[in-house]
Amino acid sequence: MPPAKKAIAKKAPAKKAAPEKKPAAKKAAPAKKAAPAKKAAAKGGAPDAHKFAAVLLDTCKVLMTVVETQMEEDPKNGTVVTTENFHCHGKAILDCLPEDARLPMMKIALMYQEELDSDPFLFGGDAADLDDYDEDDEDGEEAELESHAVMRADDGDDDDDDSDDDDDEIDDVMKLEHFLHFKQFFTAAEAKALVDGSDEGGKLDKAIDKALKSLEEAEQLLFDDDEDDEDDADDDEDDDDDEDDVWSENVPWKA
């Protein structure tokens, strides 16, 4: 018998290596939504800029009213020093402002006052009216007399009209926009505190009442002193004559 053939073992086909799995890419974390910006008018934020400026404008008007002008004369050194004292009656108001804002506020109040003092309306007429007036012009004199007659016939209305005219002139000089730059002297919280304090019963409101009351008391004392001086002057008959001669050549030489 022929020898049996050995069965040739078939090699099993090599298995393909499984492809290496790449590490799964990490998914980017979803972007968080930015927190909405807080509104300026929110609690603790700044007030409206124009409302802030309006409060400062009103505060400035009060400071112009209560400022105390003091004059020191020194003939030996040849000096006359004028001091505009805001502290005397207006200390409580200034304390409501940040320290950096106090000097600028005093300066702008003095600037306004100087501008108003130089305005012709304070002398009872416009500059143009004064220029047109001619003492030698009879027509001008008649027109002036007629004008005075109308004024005497309607004094009550004139008082109101004059007051309105004065307010208009002040509004022409003092403007809201002049106080917007004061934002640089206030933090948002300080500005809000000032505006809130301007409401009735607030810190600024009380400070203004205190300043006006202090001024009223000082003027009353001055008025009482003037009355005492007038009573003393009535006792001296020569005082009236001396007053009449103050600006005349009849003033006597020093004894």
Side-chain angles (χ1 to χ4, degrees):
M1 280 181 73
K5 295 182 179 178
K6 294 181 178 180
I8 301 173
K10 294 182 179 180
K11 294 182 179 180
K15 293 182 179 180
K16 293 183 179 179
E20 295 182 2
K21 293 183 179 180
K22 294 183 180 180
K26 293 182 179 180
K27 293 183 179 180
K32 293 182 179 180
K33 293 182 179 179
K38 294 182 178 180
K39 295 182 179 180
K43 186 176 181 181
D48 177 75
H50 286 83
K51 186 175 182 180
F52 166 73
V55 171
L56 287 177
L57 175 60
D58 291 339
T59 303
C60 183
K61 290 179 179 179
V62 177
L63 285 174
M64 291 168 62
T65 302
V66 303
V67 61
E68 188 84 9
T69 302
Q70 301 166 340
M71 183 178 292
E72 296 182 6
E73 302 171 346
D74 188 347
K76 182 178 290 186
N77 293 322
T79 60
V80 178
V81 180
T82 302
T83 302
E84 304 293 348
N85 191 335
F86 291 89
H87 187 273
C88 183
H89 304 301
K91 179 182 182 300
I93 296 177
L94 293 176
D95 287 344
C96 293
L97 307 177
E99 189 173 351
D100 290 344
R102 295 171 190 172
L103 185 59
M105 175 61 77
M106 291 185 284
K107 285 185 174 180
I108 196 171
L110 293 176
M111 181 190 72
Y112 280 145
Q113 192 61 58
E114 183 178 357
E115 182 71 17
L116 292 172
D117 288 345
S118 64
D119 199 301
F121 88 92
L122 292 175
F123 298 100
D126 295 334
D129 295 338
L130 296 176
D131 292 339
D132 293 340
Y133 178 74
D134 185 354
E135 293 182 355
D136 297 332
D137 187 351
E138 293 182 359
D139 294 336
E141 291 179 358
E142 291 177 0
E144 184 183 10
L145 290 174
E146 291 177 0
S147 176
H148 285 304
V150 172
M151 291 173 62
R152 285 194 299 271
D154 197 6
D155 287 338
D157 292 341
D158 277 345
D159 291 340
D160 295 338
D161 292 342
D162 291 343
S163 177
D164 293 340
D165 291 341
D166 291 353
D167 291 341
D168 291 341
E169 293 289 350
I170 291 174
D171 291 339
D172 287 341
V173 174
M174 303 180 69
K175 295 185 180 298
L176 193 75
E177 294 80 8
H178 296 167
F179 292 90
L180 291 175
H181 77 281
F182 272 77
K183 290 171 64 179
Q184 63 186 309
F185 305 122
F186 286 77
T187 64
E190 289 171 338
K192 186 176 187 302
L194 183 76
V195 172
D196 291 344
S198 66
D199 295 335
E200 186 175 357
K203 182 179 179 180
L204 180 60
D205 181 61
K206 291 180 179 178
I208 289 175
D209 288 342
K210 183 177 180 180
L212 295 174
K213 184 177 180 181
S214 176
L215 176 65
E216 183 180 355
E217 291 174 351
E219 289 180 341
Q220 184 61 44
L221 289 174
L222 183 62
F223 178 76
D224 292 341
D225 290 342
D226 289 343
E227 282 190 337
D228 293 339
D229 292 341
E230 289 179 3
D231 293 339
D232 294 339
D234 291 339
D235 296 335
D236 189 352
E237 297 179 356
D238 295 334
D239 285 347
D240 292 338
D241 295 335
D242 291 342
E243 284 186 22
D244 294 338
D245 293 338
V246 166
W247 301 106
S248 74
E249 61 184 18
N250 296 326
V251 175
W253 294 102
K254 181 180 178 181

Coordinates of all heavy atoms in Angstrom, one line a residue, residues 1-73:
M1 N 0.8 -1.2 0.0 CA 0.0 0.0 0.0 C 0.9 1.2 0.0 O 1.9 1.3 0.7 CB -0.8 0.1 1.3 CG -2.0 -0.9 1.3 SD -3.0 -0.7 2.8 CE -3.6 0.8 2.5
P2 N 0.5 2.2 -0.8 CA 1.3 3.4 -0.8 C 1.1 4.2 0.5 O 0.1 4.1 1.1 CB 0.7 4.2 -2.0 CG -0.7 3.7 -2.2 CD -0.7 2.2 -1.8
P3 N 2.2 4.8 0.8 CA 2.1 5.5 2.1 C 1.0 6.6 2.0 O 0.9 7.3 1.0 CB 3.5 6.0 2.3 CG 4.1 6.1 1.0 CD 3.4 5.0 0.1
A4 N 0.4 6.8 3.2 CA -0.7 7.8 3.2 C -0.1 9.2 3.2 O 1.0 9.4 3.8 CB -1.5 7.6 4.5
K5 N -0.7 10.0 2.4 CA -0.2 11.4 2.3 C -0.6 12.1 3.5 O -1.6 12.1 4.0 CB -0.9 12.1 1.1 CG -0.5 11.4 -0.3 CD -1.1 12.2 -1.4 CE -0.7 11.6 -2.8 NZ -1.3 12.2 -3.9
K6 N 0.5 12.8 3.9 CA 0.2 13.6 5.1 C -0.6 14.8 4.7 O -0.4 15.5 3.7 CB 1.5 14.1 5.7 CG 2.4 12.9 6.2 CD 3.6 13.5 6.9 CE 4.4 12.3 7.5 NZ 5.7 12.8 8.1
A7 N -1.6 15.0 5.5 CA -2.4 16.2 5.2 C -1.6 17.5 5.5 O -1.0 17.6 6.5 CB -3.7 16.2 6.0
I8 N -1.6 18.2 4.5 CA -0.9 19.5 4.6 C -1.8 20.5 5.4 O -2.9 20.8 5.0 CB -0.5 20.1 3.3 CG1 0.4 19.1 2.6 CG2 0.2 21.4 3.5 CD1 0.8 19.5 1.1
A9 N -1.3 20.8 6.5 CA -2.1 21.7 7.3 C -2.2 23.1 6.7 O -1.1 23.7 6.4 CB -1.6 21.8 8.8
K10 N -3.3 23.5 6.5 CA -3.5 24.9 5.9 C -3.4 25.9 7.0 O -4.0 25.8 8.0 CB -4.8 25.0 5.1 CG -4.9 24.1 3.9 CD -6.2 24.3 3.2 CE -6.3 23.5 1.9 NZ -7.6 23.7 1.2
K11 N -2.5 26.8 6.7 CA -2.4 27.9 7.7 C -3.7 28.8 7.6 O -4.1 29.2 6.5 CB -1.2 28.8 7.5 CG 0.1 28.0 7.7 CD 1.3 28.9 7.5 CE 2.6 28.1 7.9 NZ 3.8 29.0 7.7
A12 N -4.2 29.1 8.7 CA -5.3 30.0 8.7 C -4.9 31.4 8.3 O -3.8 31.8 8.7 CB -5.9 30.0 10.1
P13 N -5.6 32.0 7.5 CA -5.2 33.3 7.0 C -5.0 34.3 8.2 O -5.8 34.3 9.2 CB -6.3 33.8 6.1 CG -7.5 32.9 6.5 CD -7.0 31.6 7.0
A14 N -3.9 35.0 8.1 CA -3.7 35.9 9.2 C -4.8 36.9 9.3 O -5.2 37.5 8.4 CB -2.3 36.6 9.0
K15 N -5.2 37.1 10.6 CA -6.2 38.1 10.8 C -5.6 39.5 10.7 O -4.5 39.8 11.2 CB -6.9 37.9 12.2 CG -7.7 36.6 12.3 CD -8.3 36.6 13.7 CE -9.1 35.3 13.8 NZ -9.7 35.2 15.1
K16 N -6.3 40.3 10.0 CA -5.9 41.7 9.9 C -6.0 42.4 11.3 O -7.0 42.2 12.0 CB -6.7 42.5 8.9 CG -6.5 42.0 7.5 CD -7.3 42.9 6.5 CE -7.1 42.5 5.1 NZ -7.9 43.3 4.2
A17 N -4.9 43.0 11.6 CA -4.9 43.7 12.9 C -6.0 44.8 12.9 O -6.1 45.6 11.9 CB -3.5 44.4 13.1
A18 N -6.7 44.8 14.0 CA -7.7 45.8 14.1 C -7.1 47.1 14.1 O -6.1 47.4 14.8 CB -8.6 45.5 15.4
P19 N -7.6 48.0 13.4 CA -7.1 49.4 13.4 C -7.1 50.0 14.7 O -8.1 49.8 15.5 CB -8.0 50.2 12.4 CG -9.2 49.4 12.3 CD -8.9 48.0 12.6
E20 N -6.0 50.7 15.1 CA -6.0 51.3 16.4 C -7.0 52.4 16.5 O -7.2 53.2 15.6 CB -4.6 52.0 16.6 CG -3.5 50.9 16.7 CD -2.2 51.6 17.0 OE1 -2.2 52.8 17.2 OE2 -1.2 50.9 17.1
K21 N -7.8 52.3 17.6 CA -8.8 53.3 17.8 C -8.2 54.6 18.3 O -7.4 54.6 19.3 CB -9.9 52.8 18.8 CG -10.7 51.7 18.3 CD -11.7 51.3 19.3 CE -12.6 50.1 18.8 NZ -13.6 49.7 19.8
K22 N -8.4 55.7 17.6 CA -8.0 57.0 18.0 C -8.8 57.4 19.2 O -10.0 57.2 19.2 CB -8.1 58.0 16.9 CG -7.2 57.7 15.7 CD -7.3 58.8 14.7 CE -6.4 58.5 13.5 NZ -6.5 59.6 12.5
P23 N -8.1 58.1 20.2 CA -8.9 58.6 21.3 C -9.9 59.6 20.8 O -9.6 60.5 20.0 CB -7.9 59.2 22.2 CG -6.7 59.5 21.3 CD -6.7 58.4 20.3
A24 N -11.1 59.4 21.3 CA -12.2 60.3 20.9 C -11.9 61.7 21.3 O -11.4 62.0 22.5 CB -13.5 59.9 21.6
A25 N -12.0 62.6 20.4 CA -11.7 64.0 20.6 C -12.8 64.6 21.7 O -13.9 64.2 21.6 CB -11.8 64.9 19.4
K26 N -12.2 65.3 22.6 CA -13.1 65.9 23.6 C -13.9 67.0 23.0 O -13.4 67.8 22.3 CB -12.2 66.4 24.8 CG -11.5 65.4 25.6 CD -10.7 66.0 26.7 CE -10.0 64.9 27.5 NZ -9.3 65.5 28.7
K27 N -15.2 66.9 23.3 CA -16.1 67.9 22.9 C -15.8 69.2 23.6 O -15.7 69.2 24.9 CB -17.5 67.5 23.0 CG -17.9 66.3 22.1 CD -19.4 66.0 22.3 CE -19.8 64.9 21.4 NZ -21.2 64.5 21.5
A28 N -15.8 70.3 22.9 CA -15.6 71.6 23.6 C -16.8 71.9 24.4 O -17.9 71.7 24.1 CB -15.4 72.7 22.5
A29 N -16.4 72.4 25.6 CA -17.5 72.8 26.6 C -18.3 73.9 26.0 O -17.8 74.8 25.4 CB -16.9 73.2 27.9
P30 N -19.6 73.8 26.1 CA -20.5 74.9 25.5 C -20.1 76.2 26.2 O -20.0 76.3 27.4 CB -21.9 74.5 25.8 CG -21.7 73.5 27.0 CD -20.4 72.8 26.8
A31 N -20.0 77.3 25.3 CA -19.6 78.6 25.8 C -20.7 79.1 26.7 O -21.9 79.0 26.4 CB -19.4 79.6 24.6
K32 N -20.3 79.6 27.8 CA -21.2 80.2 28.8 C -21.7 81.6 28.3 O -20.9 82.3 27.8 CB -20.6 80.3 30.2 CG -20.3 79.0 30.8 CD -19.7 79.2 32.2 CE -19.4 77.9 32.9 NZ -18.9 78.1 34.3
K33 N -22.9 81.9 28.5 CA -23.5 83.2 28.1 C -22.9 84.2 29.0 O -22.9 84.1 30.2 CB -25.0 83.2 28.1 CG -25.6 82.3 27.1 CD -27.1 82.4 27.1 CE -27.8 81.6 26.1 NZ -29.3 81.6 26.1
A34 N -22.5 85.4 28.4 CA -21.9 86.4 29.2 C -23.1 87.0 30.1 O -24.2 87.2 29.6 CB -21.3 87.5 28.3
A35 N -22.7 87.3 31.3 CA -23.7 87.9 32.2 C -24.1 89.3 31.7 O -23.3 90.0 31.3 CB -23.1 88.0 33.6
P36 N -25.4 89.5 31.6 CA -25.8 90.9 31.1 C -25.3 92.0 32.0 O -25.2 91.9 33.2 CB -27.4 90.8 31.2 CG -27.6 89.7 32.2 CD -26.5 88.7 32.1
A37 N -24.9 93.1 31.3 CA -24.3 94.2 32.0 C -25.4 94.8 32.9 O -26.5 95.0 32.5 CB -23.7 95.2 31.1
K38 N -25.0 95.2 34.1 CA -25.9 95.9 35.0 C -26.2 97.3 34.5 O -25.3 98.0 34.0 CB -25.4 95.9 36.4 CG -25.2 94.6 37.0 CD -24.7 94.7 38.4 CE -24.5 93.4 39.1 NZ -24.0 93.5 40.5
K39 N -27.5 97.6 34.5 CA -27.8 99.0 34.1 C -27.4 100.0 35.1 O -27.3 99.7 36.3 CB -29.4 99.1 33.9 CG -29.9 98.2 32.8 CD -31.4 98.4 32.7 CE -32.0 97.5 31.5 NZ -33.4 97.7 31.4
A40 N -27.0 101.2 34.6 CA -26.5 102.2 35.4 C -27.5 102.6 36.5 O -27.2 103.1 37.6 CB -26.1 103.4 34.6
A41 N -28.8 102.5 36.1 CA -29.8 103.0 37.0 C -30.2 101.9 38.1 O -31.1 102.1 38.9 CB -31.1 103.4 36.3
A42 N -29.5 100.8 38.0 CA -29.8 99.7 39.0 C -29.4 100.1 40.4 O -28.8 101.1 40.6 CB -29.1 98.4 38.6
K43 N -29.9 99.3 41.3 CA -29.6 99.7 42.7 C -28.1 99.8 42.9 O -27.3 98.9 42.6 CB -30.2 98.6 43.6 CG -30.1 98.9 45.1 CD -30.7 97.9 45.9 CE -30.6 98.2 47.4 NZ -31.3 97.2 48.3
G44 N -27.7 100.9 43.5 CA -26.3 101.2 43.7 C -25.6 101.8 42.6 O -24.4 102.1 42.6
G45 N -26.2 101.9 41.4 CA -25.6 102.5 40.2 C -25.7 104.0 40.2 O -26.2 104.6 41.1
A46 N -25.3 104.6 39.1 CA -25.3 106.0 38.9 C -26.6 106.5 38.5 O -27.4 105.8 37.8 CB -24.2 106.5 37.9
P47 N -27.0 107.7 38.9 CA -28.3 108.3 38.4 C -28.2 108.8 37.0 O -27.1 108.9 36.4 CB -28.5 109.4 39.4 CG -27.1 109.9 39.8 CD -26.3 108.6 39.8
D48 N -29.3 109.3 36.5 CA -29.2 109.9 35.2 C -28.4 111.2 35.2 O -28.4 112.0 36.2 CB -30.7 110.3 34.8 CG -30.7 111.1 33.4 OD1 -30.5 110.4 32.4 OD2 -30.9 112.3 33.5
A49 N -27.5 111.3 34.2 CA -26.5 112.4 34.3 C -27.2 113.8 34.3 O -26.7 114.7 35.0 CB -25.6 112.3 33.0
H50 N -28.3 114.0 33.6 CA -28.9 115.3 33.6 C -29.7 115.6 34.9 O -29.7 116.7 35.3 CB -29.9 115.4 32.4 CG -29.2 115.5 31.0 ND1 -28.7 114.4 30.4 CD2 -29.0 116.6 30.3 CE1 -28.2 114.9 29.2 NE2 -28.3 116.2 29.2
K51 N -30.2 114.5 35.5 CA -30.8 114.7 36.8 C -29.8 115.1 37.8 O -30.0 116.0 38.7 CB -31.6 113.5 37.2 CG -32.3 113.7 38.5 CD -33.2 112.4 38.8 CE -34.0 112.6 40.1 NZ -34.8 111.4 40.4
F52 N -28.6 114.5 37.7 CA -27.5 114.8 38.6 C -27.0 116.2 38.4 O -26.8 116.9 39.4 CB -26.3 113.8 38.2 CG -25.0 114.2 38.8 CD1 -24.7 114.1 40.1 CD2 -24.0 114.6 37.9 CE1 -23.4 114.4 40.6 CE2 -22.7 115.0 38.4 CZ -22.5 114.8 39.8
A53 N -26.9 116.7 37.2 CA -26.5 118.0 36.9 C -27.6 119.0 37.4 O -27.2 120.1 37.9 CB -26.3 118.2 35.4
A54 N -28.9 118.7 37.3 CA -29.9 119.6 37.8 C -29.9 119.8 39.3 O -30.1 120.9 39.8 CB -31.3 119.0 37.4
V55 N -29.5 118.7 40.0 CA -29.4 118.8 41.5 C -28.2 119.7 41.8 O -28.3 120.6 42.7 CB -29.2 117.4 42.1 CG1 -28.8 117.6 43.6 CG2 -30.5 116.6 41.9
L56 N -27.1 119.6 41.1 CA -26.0 120.5 41.3 C -26.3 121.9 41.0 O -25.8 122.8 41.7 CB -24.8 120.0 40.5 CG -24.1 118.7 41.0 CD1 -23.0 118.3 40.0 CD2 -23.5 118.9 42.4
L57 N -27.0 122.2 39.9 CA -27.4 123.5 39.5 C -28.2 124.2 40.7 O -28.0 125.3 41.0 CB -28.2 123.5 38.2 CG -28.8 124.8 37.8 CD1 -27.7 125.8 37.5 CD2 -29.6 124.6 36.5
D58 N -29.2 123.5 41.2 CA -30.0 124.0 42.3 C -29.1 124.2 43.5 O -29.3 125.2 44.3 CB -31.1 123.1 42.6 CG -32.2 123.0 41.5 OD1 -32.2 124.0 40.7 OD2 -32.9 122.0 41.5
T59 N -28.2 123.3 43.8 CA -27.3 123.5 44.9 C -26.4 124.7 44.8 O -26.2 125.5 45.7 CB -26.4 122.2 45.1 OG1 -27.2 121.1 45.2 CG2 -25.5 122.3 46.3
C60 N -26.0 125.0 43.6 CA -25.1 126.1 43.3 C -25.9 127.4 43.5 O -25.4 128.4 44.1 CB -24.6 126.1 41.9 SG -23.5 127.4 41.4
K61 N -27.2 127.5 43.1 CA -28.0 128.7 43.4 C -28.1 129.0 44.8 O -28.1 130.1 45.3 CB -29.4 128.5 42.7 CG -29.4 128.5 41.2 CD -30.8 128.2 40.7 CE -30.8 128.3 39.1 NZ -32.2 128.0 38.6
V62 N -28.3 127.9 45.7 CA -28.4 128.1 47.1 C -27.1 128.7 47.7 O -27.1 129.6 48.5 CB -28.8 126.8 47.8 CG1 -28.9 127.1 49.3 CG2 -30.2 126.4 47.3
L63 N -26.0 128.1 47.2 CA -24.7 128.5 47.7 C -24.4 130.0 47.3 O -23.8 130.8 48.1 CB -23.6 127.7 47.1 CG -23.4 126.3 47.8 CD1 -22.4 125.4 47.0 CD2 -23.0 126.4 49.2
M64 N -24.9 130.4 46.2 CA -24.7 131.8 45.8 C -25.6 132.7 46.7 O -25.2 133.9 46.9 CB -25.2 132.0 44.3 CG -24.3 131.4 43.3 SD -25.0 131.3 41.6 CE -25.2 133.0 41.3
T65 N -26.6 132.2 47.2 CA -27.5 133.0 48.1 C -26.9 133.1 49.5 O -27.0 134.2 50.1 CB -28.9 132.3 48.2 OG1 -29.5 132.2 46.9 CG2 -29.8 133.1 49.1
V66 N -26.3 132.1 50.0 CA -25.8 132.1 51.4 C -24.4 132.5 51.6 O -23.9 132.5 52.7 CB -26.1 130.7 52.0 CG1 -27.5 130.3 51.9 CG2 -25.2 129.6 51.4
V67 N -23.6 132.7 50.5 CA -22.2 133.0 50.6 C -22.1 134.3 51.4 O -22.8 135.3 51.2 CB -21.5 133.1 49.3 CG1 -22.1 134.2 48.4 CG2 -20.0 133.4 49.4
E68 N -21.1 134.4 52.3 CA -20.9 135.6 53.2 C -19.6 136.3 52.7 O -18.6 135.7 52.6 CB -20.7 135.1 54.6 CG -20.6 136.2 55.6 CD -22.0 136.7 56.1 OE1 -23.0 136.1 55.7 OE2 -22.1 137.8 56.8
T69 N -19.8 137.5 52.3 CA -18.7 138.3 51.8 C -18.1 139.1 53.0 O -18.8 139.9 53.6 CB -19.1 139.3 50.7 OG1 -19.7 138.6 49.6 CG2 -17.9 140.1 50.2
Q70 N -16.8 138.9 53.3 CA -16.1 139.5 54.4 C -14.9 140.3 53.8 O -14.2 139.8 52.9 CB -15.6 138.5 55.4 CG -16.8 137.7 56.0 CD -16.3 136.4 56.7 OE1 -15.2 136.0 56.5 NE2 -17.2 135.9 57.6
M71 N -14.7 141.5 54.3 CA -13.6 142.4 53.8 C -12.7 142.8 55.0 O -13.2 143.2 56.0 CB -14.2 143.6 53.2 CG -13.1 144.5 52.6 SD -13.9 146.0 51.7 CE -14.7 145.2 50.4
E72 N -11.4 142.6 54.8 CA -10.4 143.0 55.8 C -9.6 144.1 55.2 O -9.0 143.9 54.1 CB -9.6 141.8 56.2 CG -10.4 140.7 56.9 CD -9.5 139.5 57.3 OE1 -8.2 139.6 57.2 OE2 -10.0 138.5 57.8
E73 N -9.5 145.2 55.9 CA -8.7 146.3 55.4 C -7.5 146.5 56.3 O -7.6 146.5 57.5 CB -9.6 147.6 55.4 CG -10.9 147.4 54.5 CD -11.8 148.6 54.7 OE1 -11.6 149.4 55.7 OE2 -12.7 148.7 53.9

